[in-house]
Amino acid sequence: MSIHFHEDLGVFHLQSDRSSYVIELVRGVYPAHAYWGRRIRDNRVGNLLERRGRASFSPTPFREDASFSLDSLPQEYPGYGSGDFRQPAYQVKLANGTTVTEAEYVRHRIYSGKPKLEGLPAVYTEQDAEADTLELELLDPVSGLTIYLSYTVMNAFDAITRSVSFRNDSKENITLLRAMSASVDMNHSCYDLLHLHGAWARERHVQRRRLSPGMQGIESRRGSSSHNHNPFLALLSEGAGEEHGEVYGFSLVYSGSFSAQVEVDQYETARVTMGLNPFDFSWLLEPGQSFQTPEAVMVFSAEGLGGMSRRYHKMYRTRLSRGQFRDATRPVLVNNWEATYFNFNADKIEQIASTGRDLGIELFVLDDGWFGKRNDDTTSLGDWVVDKNKLPEGLEDLVKRVRNLDMQFGLWFEPEMISPDSDLYRQHPDWCLHVEGRRRTEGRQQLILDFSREEVGDAVADMVRSILQSAPITYVKWDMNRNMTEIGSAALPPERQRETAHRYMLGLYRVMEQLTTEFPHILFESCSGGGGRYDPGMLYYMPQTWTSDNSDAVSRLKIQYGTSLVYPLSSMGAHVSAVPNHQVFRNTSLRTRGHAAMSGNFGYELDLTAFSEQEKEEVREQVKLYKEIRHLVQFGDFYRLRNPFEGNEAAWTIVSEDRSEAVLYYFRIISEANEPIVWLRTAGLDPEGDYRCVEDGNIYGGDRLMNAGLAIPAMHGDFQSFMWRFERV
């Protein structure tokens, strides 16, 4: 058992393989945060919480105890209104209109395993022995609100998952105004805050800055996790780097609007809160009803950002992603989008697929434009029937032609959207998110179907199901190309309208659960204009995500580097596209485009038939090479070596779990005259082992490669790259 309760001390000690998390019951009823960090022995967990009297502006509710104030107590799940002026973890409105609560500890449970979250994605266990769970029951006796705090120790990952359930045990309505998944009061604020920021085609750029007094953080109000901010942040100790220093990671398993904030208070302590964005959110709890928050996954690393990332990678790859593709190598694909856009017919598709087959590619993906009257992006979303003008013999015929080439077939959908110019909209204009009497703001000439309504989700699932049953399809790209406006539902009463966005996500998760369960042989890839909904919630249903609509190799160095802070390479879709690139109009070599794309789930997104014979031969070699290393890329341990946000280079290596083989990538962005010799040291190898370089046959010691490194070969021109493979002798 990794969770211990010391009744005499009123202390809970949560231990993973290399970390400890300690909670103390102050005055027997207030769960307080005492410690989180490197593992400590279980017989040394007392007296970790230091309490001192504060000035009169920190109220003391108990006259006989001047050292107690909720304003300075490091609480596990703080409320509002009883003397703590910092950001609360939860807030409710009671039937009398007040918002004051004070929940106290009542009892607890400790048990093996990890419970599922009803209707929500979450990290899971395959055996109860993999995890232990602590459940703290808190009660506000005045309001009758019961709060269940759930902590699960994922023993092998130095991770603690947290979620919260609220239950109304009173006889009157209670309205949730704020419901965070986790709150942690650190005992100082000497940290750097790191998060992932961006925009469409520029996602997950690394941002790092010093914590300062006041509020700082990130959020999305868009109805999705968004291109702008990823639902992740980390606190880094002073001087912490890639492979050294203490790092605390916070990641939310959710795909909708979120908030992740850090408040540095008057005593220079830092409170981290993460969960559903309280902006424009409320949830009515009638007597006897409950509400479940999404799950926050907290990871501690004493080995810097790299240690944190590798913990997230392994956990999210093996205990968040599910299904037969979790542990299976992913196929090399070609997607026709940038080759044809909407302008194609069956013969053109077959030509691209045939060329791909000759080059060793395994999967063809038909992107947007195959349904309704979809000749541009102004029409037909919601009409999931085959366009017989483009495919006169139907989808079944096209799939058969591609399958006869000994290739798999994949298909693009955008199931959550509806075009005003569509038969579905004309039949059901009330099925989209809207507010009566308001205009319906469009994005990309489309509206959003109201997945908070069960009948809408069921109708969409039936349409998608019908297509997937019509032909042997083995891959689906599930896209979502706009954010929410006029967030309202025709099916909800006025007092529940602010529940719409979260109910939408619950409805979407329900549909995704149905379809991915019914079609286990299909590899589902999520997409939202590329990386606009790249989050752990999606990975629970779909084991990979189209990383960005920006497929430029140089841009992808930063995008994929930032993504790797949290997400495993097995989750990243990465394609070679045409030059000049369609997003930034940059020319890069096929070699560099290949090396960047080989750092994820590899594929092509261009017209293969337009390649010269020399280019086709290079592609053939790239595909052959990737098939030899994809088990490493998709399942190995990832080490970042050079940071493209800090200079002119990027480098990383991927090492097998048993350290018997590795692949090393180096990218130089801009060329300089008379450049110095650059040496690159790798990581993750066995220092006592010897490794043969596949490219030149030389033997190197693992210690030499990690401590002395290799000289980068001379490179000529901008946007150059090099790759080495090593096998232990």
Side-chain angles (χ1 to χ4, degrees):
M1 181 66 68
S2 58
I3 300 177
H4 314 277
F5 178 53
H6 298 270
E7 189 170 2
D8 56 330
L9 300 173
V11 167
F12 298 94
H13 184 194
L14 289 66
Q15 286 181 314
S16 65
D17 286 352
R18 287 173 284 185
S19 66
S20 287
Y21 189 101
V22 181
I23 303 167
E24 180 179 332
L25 294 175
V26 175
R27 298 182 66 92
V29 295
Y30 297 100
H33 181 70
Y35 176 79
W36 183 24
R38 297 174 192 257
R39 182 182 171 111
I40 55 179
R41 285 180 288 161
D42 188 50
N43 63 344
R44 294 290 184 268
V45 293
N47 303 314
L48 284 169
L49 191 62
E50 179 73 15
R51 294 195 292 121
R52 298 178 184 176
R54 296 295 187 179
S56 60
F57 282 93
S58 289
T60 54
F62 305 107
R63 288 185 175 181
E64 75 280 5
D65 187 358
S67 70
F68 182 88
S69 174
L70 291 173
D71 194 32
S72 57
L73 186 70
Q75 299 176 72
E76 278 297 310
Y77 204 67
Y80 169 78
S82 295
D84 189 343
F85 300 106
R86 296 166 291 178
Q87 186 96 308
Y90 75 98
Q91 187 179 14
V92 302
K93 185 175 75 172
L94 305 178
N96 62 8
T98 64
T99 57
V100 177
T101 55
E102 190 173 327
E104 299 178 349
Y105 165 83
V106 176
R107 62 181 63 88
H108 71 271
R109 287 199 306 144
I110 298 173
Y111 53 92
S112 295
K114 184 178 188 295
K116 290 185 176 181
L117 299 188
E118 183 178 356
L120 285 165
V123 171
Y124 61 88
T125 59
E126 292 189 334
Q127 298 178 346
D128 284 349
E130 295 177 358
D132 296 302
T133 296
L134 166 67
E135 183 183 275
L136 299 179
E137 180 180 335
L138 312 182
L139 172 67
D140 177 31
V142 175
S143 68
L145 177 68
T146 302
I147 304 173
Y148 299 92
L149 308 182
S150 179
Y151 303 75
T152 295
V153 180
M154 300 295 291
N155 297 321
F157 302 102
D158 291 314
I160 295 172
T161 69
R162 290 186 58 177
S163 64
V164 183
S165 177
F166 297 85
R167 190 178 71 209
N168 182 0
D169 289 322
S170 75
K171 295 181 180 180
E172 298 182 300
N173 290 345
I174 295 176
T175 302
L176 281 174
L177 303 176
R178 182 181 186 89
M180 294 291 104
S181 299
S183 179
V184 179
D185 284 351
M186 314 298 284
N187 61 9
H188 64 84
S189 61
C190 297
Y191 297 107
D192 286 353
L193 170 64
L194 184 146
H195 62 93
L196 302 174
H197 167 72
W200 173 79
R202 189 169 37 82
E203 298 92 339
R204 290 173 301 285
H205 281 207
V206 179
Q207 301 288 326
R208 180 173 178 172
R209 66 180 186 273
R210 196 72 174 156
L211 283 183
S212 61
M215 292 297 301
Q216 49 244 278
I218 55 174
E219 65 177 346
S220 170
R221 301 175 188 153
R222 295 172 170 266
S224 71
S225 49
S226 84
H227 297 86
N228 306 90
H229 295 291
N230 198 261
F232 159 80
L233 62 78
L235 296 184
L236 284 65
S237 61
E238 289 188 89
E242 188 60 36
E243 298 298 331
H244 67 276
E246 295 185 343
V247 176
Y248 300 84
F250 300 81
S251 175
L252 188 66
V253 187
Y254 189 62
S255 308
S257 297
F258 73 93
S259 173
Q261 305 289 331
V262 185
E263 180 179 10
V264 177
D265 70 359
Q266 59 188 327
Y267 302 119
E268 298 186 6
T269 64
R271 170 173 288 177
V272 183
T273 56
M274 173 175 274
L276 294 170
N277 197 330
F279 178 83
D280 200 39
F281 165 83
S282 66
W283 195 277
L284 177 62
L285 285 178
E286 297 176 358
Q289 290 185 341
S290 296
F291 178 83
Q292 174 65 56
T293 73
E295 180 173 87
V297 180
M298 309 188 324
V299 165
F300 170 76
S301 165
E303 298 85 39
L305 283 167
M308 179 204 71
S309 295
R310 287 185 288 277
R311 287 163 173 78
Y312 274 125
H313 291 179
K314 187 171 183 180
M315 181 166 48
Y316 282 179
R317 182 176 62 78
T318 65
R319 293 298 181 268
L320 181 65
S321 295
R322 302 175 299 160
Q324 68 185 55
F325 291 98
R326 185 191 77 175
D327 302 318
T329 55
R330 314 288 168 76
V332 179
L333 65 83
V334 58
N335 181 300
N336 73 297
W337 178 241
E338 291 191 12
T340 67
Y341 292 101
F342 295 102
N343 184 25
F344 61 83
N345 56 35
D347 290 340
K348 179 60 178 178
I349 295 304
E350 186 176 14
Q351 289 170 13
I352 296 174
S354 177
T355 303
R357 184 274 315 273
D358 293 342
L359 301 177
I361 294 172
E362 300 158 308
L363 165 67
F364 175 83
V365 179
L366 179 61
D367 211 281
D368 196 355
W370 56 269
F371 55 93
K373 300 180 178 69
R374 187 76 167 172
N375 295 314
D376 54 39
D377 61 7
T378 67
T379 180
S380 298
L381 289 174
D383 296 343
W384 299 108
V385 293
V386 176
D387 180 357
K388 291 298 184 70
N389 290 318
K390 293 178 183 175
L391 305 175
E393 302 302 320
L395 186 64
E396 299 88 338
D397 173 72
L398 180 61
V399 175
K400 182 178 179 181
R401 290 163 70 170
V402 172
R403 299 279 295 194
N404 285 342
L405 296 170
D406 197 25
M407 290 188 74
Q408 301 176 55
F409 187 91
L411 198 59
W412 178 95
F413 286 91
E414 195 170 1
E416 301 165 62
M417 300 296 151
I418 185 169
S419 300
D421 181 11
S422 67
D423 292 338
L424 184 64
Y425 187 78
R426 285 182 279 272
Q427 294 167 9
H428 299 285
D430 65 320
W431 273 17
C432 66
L433 294 176
H434 70 281
V435 174
E436 197 63 38
R438 299 283 180 186
R439 88 171 150 232
R440 302 183 180 190
T441 302
E442 297 178 18
R444 203 177 180 240
Q445 292 80 50
Q446 60 198 50
L447 300 168
I448 303 177
L449 287 166
D450 184 1
F451 269 63
S452 73
R453 298 173 62 174
E454 189 169 332
E455 70 273 23
V456 175
D458 288 346
V460 172
D462 285 343
M463 287 186 278
V464 174
R465 183 182 294 112
S466 177
I467 293 292
L468 297 182
Q469 290 173 339
S470 70
I473 295 165
T474 60
Y475 169 101
V476 163
K477 181 179 179 181
W478 183 299
D479 211 343
M480 191 278 284
N481 279 312
R482 63 156 295 186
N483 293 141
M484 293 182 181
T485 56
E486 291 85 44
I487 303 175
S489 174
L492 291 175
E495 65 272 18
R496 291 192 179 274
Q497 284 298 319
R498 292 177 69 180
E499 301 175 9
T500 302
H502 183 57
R503 287 185 179 274
Y504 177 99
M505 289 312 312
L506 296 177
L508 176 62
Y509 288 151
R510 182 181 67 88
V511 170
M512 287 183 169
E513 179 71 22
Q514 288 179 1
L515 293 174
T516 56
T517 300
E518 290 175 31
F519 299 95
H521 65 285
I522 292 179
L523 172 59
F524 284 84
E525 179 176 277
S526 65
C527 177
S528 176
R533 202 164 61 183
Y534 202 133
D535 58 67
M538 286 293 110
L539 288 185
Y540 183 76
Y541 302 98
M542 304 183 182
Q544 63 187 58
T545 299
W546 178 226
T547 313
S548 176
D549 276 351
N550 185 349
S551 55
D552 171 65
V554 176
S555 299
R556 277 298 189 101
L557 298 179
K558 288 184 175 180
I559 294 170
Q560 292 174 200
Y561 185 99
T563 304
S564 77
L565 263 292
V566 194
Y567 303 101
L569 302 193
S570 62
S571 70
M572 296 188 205
H575 298 172
V576 173
S577 59
V579 291
N581 175 265
H582 291 195
Q583 292 80 47
V584 300
F585 309 103
R586 192 184 346 252
N587 283 288
T588 52
S589 69
L590 189 52
R591 171 196 180 101
T592 297
R593 282 177 280 158
H595 287 163
M598 284 186 213
S599 301
N601 293 314
F602 186 54
Y604 293 84
E605 191 154 330
L606 40 67
D607 189 351
L608 297 172
T609 66
F611 272 152
S612 67
E613 289 305 314
Q614 181 179 350
E615 288 172 322
K616 288 179 181 178
E617 184 56 33
E618 188 170 354
V619 169
R620 188 176 288 109
E621 290 300 314
Q622 286 182 345
V623 172
K624 178 176 179 291
L625 170 60
Y626 185 73
K627 288 178 179 179
E628 294 173 357
I629 65 170
R630 64 178 159 188
H631 64 286
L632 268 178
V633 174
Q634 295 171 10
F635 308 122
D637 293 331
F638 185 70
Y639 295 82
R640 293 176 293 269
L641 305 175
R642 298 283 173 90
N643 186 345
F645 294 96
E646 296 178 351
N648 191 42
E649 303 166 294
W652 46 73
T653 188
I654 309 160
V655 184
S656 63
E657 191 171 357
D658 64 3
R659 300 193 291 179
S660 66
E661 53 183 326
V663 58
L664 173 63
Y665 299 85
Y666 173 82
F667 302 87
R668 199 272 313 282
I669 300 171
I670 300 297
S671 179
E672 298 288 348
N674 198 21
E675 289 184 318
I677 297 173
V678 176
W679 290 79
L680 178 65
R681 292 186 291 182
T682 189
L685 301 177
D686 178 2
E688 302 300 322
D690 290 327
Y691 292 84
R692 181 179 66 87
C693 178
V694 174
E695 280 66 37
D696 60 21
N698 290 333
I699 305 295
Y700 301 92
D703 51 353
R704 179 264 167 87
L705 291 169
M706 292 191 293
N707 298 328
L710 293 171
I712 302 299
M715 296 178 175
H716 304 290
D718 297 336
F719 321 131
Q720 298 298 313
S721 65
F722 202 86
M723 191 185 88
W724 299 262
R725 287 178 292 164
F726 298 99
E727 297 174 346
R728 186 160 55 192
V729 177

